[in-house]
Amino acid sequence: MALATATTAAAVSLHPLLTRPACVLRFGRRLTPHLLRATSSASSAPDFNITFAEPAPAKKASSPAPSAQPLVPWIVRGEDRKPRLSTSPPPEVLQAIALAEAEAKKAAKKESLKGQKGAVAAAAASSAGIKTKERKDAPAAPPKFSKAARRFYNENIKEREPQRLAKVLAAAGVASRRTSEELIFQGKVTVNGAVCTSPQTKVDISKDSIYVNGNRISKKLPPKLYFAVNKPKGYICSCGEESKSVVSLFNDYLKGWNKLQPGLPKPRLFTVGRLDVATAGLIIVTNDGEFAQKLAHPSSNVTKEYVVTIDGVVHKKHLIAISEGTKIDGVMCVPDLVEPLAESDTRKTRLKIVVHEGRNHEVRELVQNAGLKVYALKRVRIGRFRLPADLGIGKFVELKQADIKALEGNN
């Protein structure tokens, strides 16, 4: 009892100290909870206003800061051309990286579109019940536009797009493309009132005003024409005004041009390739320079068939010698086919020779190299187009689209 009374007295004496938050004594010692309960129950002293502070929230463990990227030094050359260290790549490297990324995106997009097209084609093929092996050999999809629509575009729209000046002059019938370039270099051509000396200048014949030697070029171009001619012996393949040239066979046709095609300029016709003056037979005449270049160039590999009449008897050794070929202008030329034709006249022999090189005097050189003499030479076929049997010597016939395609193909 005496101990309780002493404890109570001590608690009362400590009253000012107990009013501190969290019951922290001045001396740094905390009052225990059971002691507080004992003093409150045993003493009749007034209630103390004791408040306890809320415990401070525990600090969350902070996440470690991301480590900074290591600095990569670049050795670059300054304006004084001396090497120095830099923290950023040179502009050339940044530009190369940007270009590489752009190319990669472009390639990825292209592959994606290609994959989509392949998936669509595969789905269409599978829905039609086509087997995988058959799909590989399937023909290409039909064109988007019909043949008539494509021809209309080529003849009426494509020709209106800006083209090179030299090409426009040649298509308008002024001169050949090479001669047109010479006229341009000589300052004889004006475009919209200014002298033009560059053949590559793009012009629109329907909008631009073009003069050559003071003469105005028509706003319209002549249509593309294609003829097969049965060339007579003694005529030359020249675009000049010679009386016995292949082009001179069209004099009457061109005289009536204004009645046939009113309002259109006369076309400038020329031969596709050449036949020497002593050779007769099939030759093509046109005003389409691109077509002529494509057909006459050796890289086209278009076959040409000739019938050679030999003065005398041809033996097997002669055929072997012709088949082995000969060198012409340093190039070895070998015929595709050498075959004798049946002949009733025993004094003369006819041979069929097929070549694709198209070099000057090629067939004559092959025959003469075998020790034979050429009596007559006639070309009867170009590609898959054969000289019409009813086409008389010195006559011509206009070709159709099927005939033009046959010229570019081989048997």
Side-chain angles (χ1 to χ4, degrees):
M1 186 66 180
L3 181 61
T5 305
T7 305
T8 304
V12 171
S13 64
L14 290 174
H15 176 271
L17 298 175
L18 293 177
T19 58
R20 294 176 61 83
C23 304
V24 179
L25 298 181
R26 185 181 298 275
F27 301 102
R29 299 179 64 183
R30 186 183 296 272
L31 197 62
T32 57
H34 71 275
L35 181 60
L36 290 175
R37 286 196 298 270
T39 55
S40 61
S41 60
S43 177
S44 59
D47 294 336
F48 298 102
N49 186 14
I50 299 174
T51 59
F52 297 91
E54 296 181 359
K59 292 185 178 181
K60 296 182 180 180
S62 59
S63 59
S67 59
Q69 291 185 353
L71 224 58
V72 179
W74 292 82
I75 300 177
V76 298
R77 290 187 180 274
E79 296 180 355
D80 55 355
R81 306 302 297 170
K82 293 183 178 180
R84 60 181 178 83
L85 289 177
S86 175
T87 57
S88 60
E92 297 83 2
V93 175
L94 295 175
Q95 185 178 5
I97 294 173
L99 289 175
E101 291 178 351
E103 289 294 333
K105 289 181 180 179
K106 187 176 179 181
K109 185 177 180 181
K110 188 175 181 181
E111 288 295 330
S112 176
L113 293 175
K114 187 177 180 181
Q116 292 177 4
K117 291 180 180 179
V120 172
S126 65
S127 63
I130 302 176
K131 296 180 181 179
T132 306
K133 187 175 181 180
E134 294 176 351
R135 283 202 302 268
K136 294 181 180 179
D137 301 331
K144 187 176 180 180
F145 301 102
S146 65
K147 187 184 297 185
R150 296 197 303 273
R151 183 163 56 249
F152 178 84
Y153 170 80
N154 292 333
E155 294 177 355
N156 298 276
I157 299 177
K158 186 177 180 180
E159 294 296 334
R160 297 178 184 175
E161 296 177 355
Q163 297 179 347
R164 292 185 293 110
L165 180 58
K167 182 178 179 181
V168 170
L169 295 182
V174 174
S176 66
R177 191 171 299 187
R178 185 175 299 177
T179 305
S180 298
E181 291 178 354
E182 293 177 359
L183 292 173
I184 295 171
F185 287 133
Q186 294 170 4
K188 297 181 179 181
V189 180
T190 61
V191 178
N192 298 327
V195 176
C196 182
T197 57
S198 175
Q200 289 78 23
T201 303
K202 296 284 187 177
V203 296
D204 187 346
I205 194 171
S206 62
K207 298 178 181 179
D208 297 324
S209 178
I210 305 173
Y211 283 80
V212 179
N213 290 328
N215 299 319
R216 185 171 183 175
I217 303 301
S218 174
K219 294 287 185 180
K220 296 181 180 180
L221 293 177
K224 299 293 177 64
L225 301 173
Y226 309 89
F227 299 94
V229 183
N230 190 355
K231 174 188 174 298
K233 184 178 179 180
Y235 277 67
I236 61 174
C237 298
S238 172
C239 298
E241 299 181 356
E242 292 85 353
S243 59
K244 297 191 72 174
S245 67
V246 174
V247 177
S248 67
L249 298 173
F250 291 83
N251 288 342
D252 293 338
Y253 173 81
L254 294 177
K255 285 180 181 178
W257 176 260
N258 293 331
K259 293 182 180 179
L260 295 174
Q261 302 286 349
L264 293 178
K266 289 183 180 181
R268 189 188 68 86
L269 299 177
F270 50 86
T271 59
V272 179
R274 293 178 180 272
L275 288 178
D276 59 67
V277 65
T279 303
L282 177 62
I283 191 166
I284 306 301
V285 174
T286 182
N287 64 337
D288 188 347
E290 293 181 0
F291 169 79
Q293 175 69 15
K294 180 180 178 181
L295 187 62
H297 200 274
S299 62
S300 62
N301 290 326
V302 176
T303 58
K304 303 170 183 67
E305 180 181 333
Y306 294 82
V307 174
V308 189
T309 304
I310 306 297
D311 192 0
V313 181
V314 177
H315 300 285
K316 186 177 181 179
K317 64 178 182 180
H318 297 132
L319 299 177
I320 295 175
I322 297 174
S323 301
E324 289 177 350
T326 185
K327 277 191 175 182
I328 301 176
D329 298 331
V331 178
M332 189 66 183
C333 297
V334 180
D336 297 341
L337 177 67
V338 179
E339 182 179 288
L341 299 175
E343 186 63 52
S344 57
D345 189 355
T346 57
R347 293 174 299 177
K348 292 181 176 61
T349 306
R350 294 199 309 165
L351 301 177
K352 179 172 75 172
I353 300 178
V354 179
V355 297
H356 67 273
E357 289 285 344
R359 298 191 177 274
N360 192 25
H361 304 296
E362 180 178 0
V363 177
R364 292 183 181 274
E365 291 287 343
L366 289 170
V367 174
Q368 293 174 3
N369 183 65
L372 300 174
K373 183 179 179 181
V374 177
Y375 178 79
L377 179 61
K378 182 178 182 180
R379 183 161 65 185
V380 296
R381 178 175 62 82
I382 299 177
R384 289 184 288 105
F385 180 79
R386 188 170 292 274
L387 180 67
D390 57 348
L391 188 62
I393 298 176
K395 303 297 181 181
F396 58 86
V397 61
E398 188 169 358
L399 300 178
K400 301 177 182 179
Q401 287 295 326
D403 300 328
I404 297 172
K405 287 187 176 182
L407 285 169
E408 300 175 350
N410 290 324
N411 283 341

